[in-house]
Amino acid sequence: MKSAIGIMGGTFNPFHNGHLQLALQAYRQFELSKVLVMPSGTPAHKSTKELIAASHRCQMVSGAIADYPYLELSLLEVERKGNTYTSDTLKALHRQNPDLKIYFIIGADSLFDLPKWHEPEYVMQHCILLAANRDVHAKAELAEQKRMLEKNYGAEIAFLKTPDMPYSSTDIRKKLQAGESVDGMLPKTVEKYIREHHLYQ
């Protein structure tokens, strides 16, 4: 039987409670052996203007998941030079363990961008995509996109039951910059780390 793991990638700028709950939900819903929480190094499709150092982002993730032995910080993308591509990450993991079954967690909006990703065919044929919808797209619209990707790319896609996440890392950075409360949005260890290191001032 193949070992099944989840991957949750992202800039985690900062890592917040929504990220944590998403990783926990994937672990429980799909009975994974573990979830790798994988901060990106240099994301190919995102502006890096407000991106803090990877060392800070990794420390925040490490503190936030410390109480969950089935959540594991992965430095695979942070340590890779150049742009971060999902296809390269999947290739590296499959080289380490050819029998690995990978569930890759994405936002449902990414289903519409997937054909533009680097080596989209490889990505969609070497992992199961777990799409988390935050009520951005109608269910019928998502179902149609899912059918198209399955037909044209051989993708395997499942939908993740998404926890309530009425905020984003962008919202949190703005609140921190404005000196506003972020109570309940961040794991306590993350908020403490941000305050101690004067991040997002």
Side-chain angles (χ1 to χ4, degrees):
M1 184 177 175
K2 286 188 175 184
S3 176
I5 68 165
I7 297 176
M8 188 172 75
T11 52
F12 305 129
N13 190 37
F15 187 86
H16 56 67
N17 282 330
H19 293 133
L20 180 60
Q21 291 306 314
L22 206 56
L24 294 174
Q25 179 61 28
Y27 170 78
R28 294 166 184 149
Q29 187 178 336
F30 293 90
E31 299 179 339
L32 306 176
S33 59
K34 64 180 176 181
V35 176
L36 299 181
V37 184
M38 192 176 291
S40 57
T42 306
H45 305 293
K46 278 192 175 183
S47 168
T48 57
K49 187 173 69 172
E50 292 188 52
L51 190 62
I52 63 169
S55 57
H56 285 311
R57 293 183 284 118
C58 290
Q59 286 294 330
M60 287 189 282
V61 170
S62 181
I65 66 174
D67 291 337
Y68 305 94
Y70 40 84
L71 302 185
E72 181 182 313
L73 171 66
S74 171
L75 303 178
L76 183 61
E77 292 192 345
V78 163
E79 292 178 344
R80 184 190 304 137
K81 294 180 180 178
N83 284 342
T84 297
Y85 293 113
T86 298
S87 59
D88 293 336
T89 299
L90 293 173
K91 287 173 186 177
L93 289 169
H94 282 300
R95 277 196 298 269
Q96 293 170 11
N97 184 352
D99 292 327
L100 201 58
K101 187 175 184 179
I102 298 174
Y103 289 76
F104 197 85
I105 302 166
I106 59 173
D109 51 333
S110 292
L111 292 177
F112 298 88
D113 298 327
L114 270 168
K116 300 174 188 174
W117 283 23
H118 183 68
E119 298 183 313
E121 294 87 356
Y122 186 91
V123 172
M124 286 185 261
Q125 291 169 18
H126 287 82
C127 69
I128 298 163
L129 294 163
L130 296 186
N133 189 30
R134 291 195 292 170
D135 297 322
V136 176
H137 296 280
K139 288 184 179 178
E141 187 182 13
L142 289 173
E144 179 57 34
Q145 185 67 7
K146 177 177 181 286
R147 279 193 294 271
M148 186 279 286
L149 295 173
E150 289 172 341
K151 179 182 177 182
N152 294 348
Y153 293 90
E156 186 174 348
I157 301 167
F159 289 105
L160 193 56
K161 294 173 184 173
T162 313
D164 186 30
M165 195 165 60
Y167 48 83
S168 66
S169 293
T170 303
D171 297 330
I172 292 168
R173 289 198 304 273
K174 287 178 179 176
K175 285 182 176 294
L176 289 167
Q177 287 161 3
E180 297 176 7
S181 172
V182 290
D183 191 44
M185 298 181 185
L186 297 167
K188 293 298 182 186
T189 56
V190 172
E191 186 170 359
K192 184 172 183 282
Y193 186 91
I194 287 171
R195 305 290 185 198
E196 286 178 350
H197 291 82
H198 310 290
L199 303 179
Y200 308 114
Q201 296 291 303

